Amino acid sequence: MSEGSVRAIFPELDAIEDDSLRSGVVDAWTTAMEEHDVDDLAAVPWLPPTQRELRIEDETLVGHVRDVTAGSVALAERLTERRGDRLDLDLDVVVAGALVHDVSKLAEFDGMDDTPVYDLLGHPYYGVHVVARVGLPVEIAHIVLSHTSRTNVELATIEAEIVRRADEVAAAAIRWRATDDLRTV
């Protein structure tokens, strides 16, 4: 997949004002796609083990990433409106972090099958490697690493906290399809 294709599939990239940060996000996705022979990013599933368990196999990674990004931006913008100068928040970091928070899944799954990366390393370590390799700032790597409870990394920035909470809500929205009580899934 080309840079243009990644830009088309994630129109949220246009919200990133910093050109190098925007390019780094695109580079992270194209690098991960090339390394794992992913031709069609839109066809990549969201989270195969959960999708199999809940019988919701039509959920996609792109849809989830876009939901997380939309939720992150909405939360960041609302907090900025309400807290003003009392909140030192970098919206570019929020958007970039949300867009790459799950780039690791390209290494963790091959279609609906788990890979050794998922089995032995888990989520999201490959993503940290990719974002560092393409030269994204450590703040973005921190968002990738701390966005999940599968690591012991504590959230250190407001941007990381926002992305993690948006990710949790977006994942709950997917799980909601399989239940009328989120405590059951």
Side-chain angles (χ1 to χ4, degrees):
M1 182 175 256
S2 69
E3 176 181 321
S5 299
V6 170
R7 289 180 183 272
I9 208 161
F10 291 125
E12 297 83 0
L13 283 159
D14 292 339
I16 301 173
E17 293 181 14
D18 183 304
D19 292 337
S20 65
L21 197 55
R22 186 180 330 102
S23 293
V25 170
V26 172
D27 289 347
W29 281 106
T30 56
T31 297
M33 291 175 69
E34 288 169 8
E35 288 182 359
H36 300 285
D37 297 321
V38 174
D39 296 323
D40 184 4
L41 189 56
V44 174
W46 162 63
L47 184 56
T50 300
Q51 289 177 256
R52 285 189 300 269
E53 176 187 336
L54 300 178
R55 296 186 181 103
I56 52 173
E57 294 187 11
D58 61 333
E59 292 290 344
T60 66
L61 178 60
V62 168
H64 172 70
V65 167
R66 294 191 69 206
D67 286 348
V68 171
T69 305
S72 296
V73 168
L75 183 54
E77 287 177 346
R78 180 54 56 103
L79 285 171
T80 299
E81 285 172 17
R82 293 190 47 78
R83 298 199 58 82
D85 293 340
R86 296 176 292 170
L87 182 66
D88 183 22
L89 185 145
D90 188 332
L91 189 57
D92 273 3
V93 170
V94 170
V95 175
L99 284 170
V100 297
H101 83 280
D102 270 350
V103 71
S104 186
K105 288 183 180 175
L106 298 186
E108 296 170 24
F109 304 102
D110 183 5
M112 290 296 284
D113 298 322
D114 302 358
T115 69
V117 171
Y118 182 75
D119 292 335
L120 299 175
L121 296 180
H123 185 59
Y125 297 99
Y126 172 78
V128 174
H129 162 74
V130 170
V131 300
R133 198 164 127 214
V134 300
L136 284 168
V138 70
E139 293 82 4
I140 304 301
H142 174 69
I143 290 172
V144 172
L145 191 57
S146 66
H147 87 271
T148 175
S149 62
R150 294 203 56 192
T151 72
N152 291 325
V153 175
E154 293 183 43
L155 296 154
T157 67
I158 190 65
E159 294 86 357
E161 183 77 39
I162 287 169
V163 172
R164 182 168 183 166
R165 299 305 165 209
D167 181 51
E168 291 170 345
V169 171
I174 292 171
R175 288 181 175 94
W176 184 251
R177 289 182 53 196
T179 186
D180 60 359
D181 184 342
L182 285 173
R183 294 172 295 181
T184 64
V185 294

